[in-house]
Amino acid sequence: MCEPLSVGVHACRRADVGPETGVLIMGAGPIGLVTLLAARAFGAPRVVIVDVDEHRLSVARSLGADAAVRVSARAEDVGEEVERIRAAMGGDIDVSLDCAGFSKTVATALQATRGGGKVCLVGMGHNEMTVPLTSAAIREVDVVGIFRYKDTWPLCIEFLRSGKIDVKPLITHRFGFSQEDVEEAFEVSARGRDAIKVMFNL
């Protein structure tokens, strides 16, 4: 679990998440959830997470999200959803971490983040996107990206050793290592639904 957690740790480092940072996370999939845990470990006092799936949002709540906002996949809903996200934060959104990587999620992050804030692109859903960069530039919103992680394992191991981060709730399914178990595990993972991290017992 240090591998996925490393993505969240690297994103929080790149985005300068700290004890005075209101954080918005776009996407409550496995990477969004480890990013939530990392943001808390970095001291973020308030974290709001957004997704289209209510089950994943319920998992995010159980992991300590202050608010979880269900949104649609429709681009035309961005304006109204940004208002709901800001209301859920109850203050400025200093940093947005987009763990989905779609045109709509990036557009939402750029619009929701306060002037002078930062958007970190974590997810890679689309290679090419159309996003409202001009309005973000006028408000001096910084955009940074990450590619996986770098030099994160010692800190991840310390977070796990100390109990500052508990990744066990993210492991939703365990399978043996027979041919049948492997095939079933990949099917469960591909279906999604209530599967977050699917592990093999060796």
Side-chain angles (χ1 to χ4, degrees):
M1 291 298 290
C2 279
E3 196 280 335
L5 180 58
S6 284
V7 177
V9 166
H10 188 44
C12 288
R13 280 178 170 170
R14 287 277 287 152
D16 298 319
V17 172
E20 297 181 349
T21 313
V23 173
L24 169 64
I25 297 174
M26 303 298 301
I31 296 301
L33 294 174
V34 293
T35 302
L36 161 64
L37 296 175
R40 279 289 192 230
F42 275 76
R46 188 157 179 85
V47 181
V48 173
I49 194 161
V50 171
D51 202 276
V52 298
D53 183 87
E54 184 55 45
H55 173 71
R56 291 188 180 232
L57 291 174
S58 70
V59 174
R61 289 185 195 97
S62 73
L63 293 173
D66 294 292
V69 180
R70 187 170 183 182
V71 295
S72 77
R74 303 184 320 163
E76 56 267 32
D77 294 336
V78 168
E80 180 269 329
E81 289 170 356
V82 165
E83 292 306 311
R84 287 197 289 121
I85 292 165
R86 286 177 173 162
M89 180 62 75
D92 283 338
I93 296 169
D94 303 296
V95 168
S96 291
L97 299 150
D98 181 11
C99 298
F102 297 106
S103 296
K104 188 195 175 201
T105 57
V106 175
T108 302
L110 289 170
Q111 191 171 327
T113 304
R114 68 165 174 82
K118 191 172 288 190
V119 172
C120 183
L121 307 180
V122 182
M124 297 180 181
H126 286 156
N127 286 332
E128 295 184 10
M129 300 184 230
T130 301
V131 294
L133 281 180
T134 302
S135 61
I138 289 169
R139 294 184 298 111
E140 297 188 354
V141 174
D142 292 338
V143 179
V144 299
I146 69 162
F147 182 66
R148 299 187 182 133
Y149 43 82
K150 179 183 177 189
D151 301 327
T152 54
W153 283 65
L155 181 56
C156 288
I157 291 168
E158 177 57 23
F159 279 154
L160 297 175
R161 185 204 64 77
S162 67
K164 199 164 189 180
I165 291 179
D166 180 11
V167 294
K168 292 187 193 79
L170 298 177
I171 303 170
T172 55
H173 296 76
R174 287 187 179 273
F175 291 89
F177 209 58
S178 68
Q179 182 67 34
E180 295 79 16
D181 283 336
V182 169
E183 290 175 7
E184 185 182 356
F186 276 96
E187 287 173 9
V188 166
S189 182
R191 279 196 303 266
R193 297 181 194 161
D194 62 341
I196 298 175
K197 296 302 288 184
V198 177
M199 305 289 278
F200 294 105
N201 296 322
L202 299 178

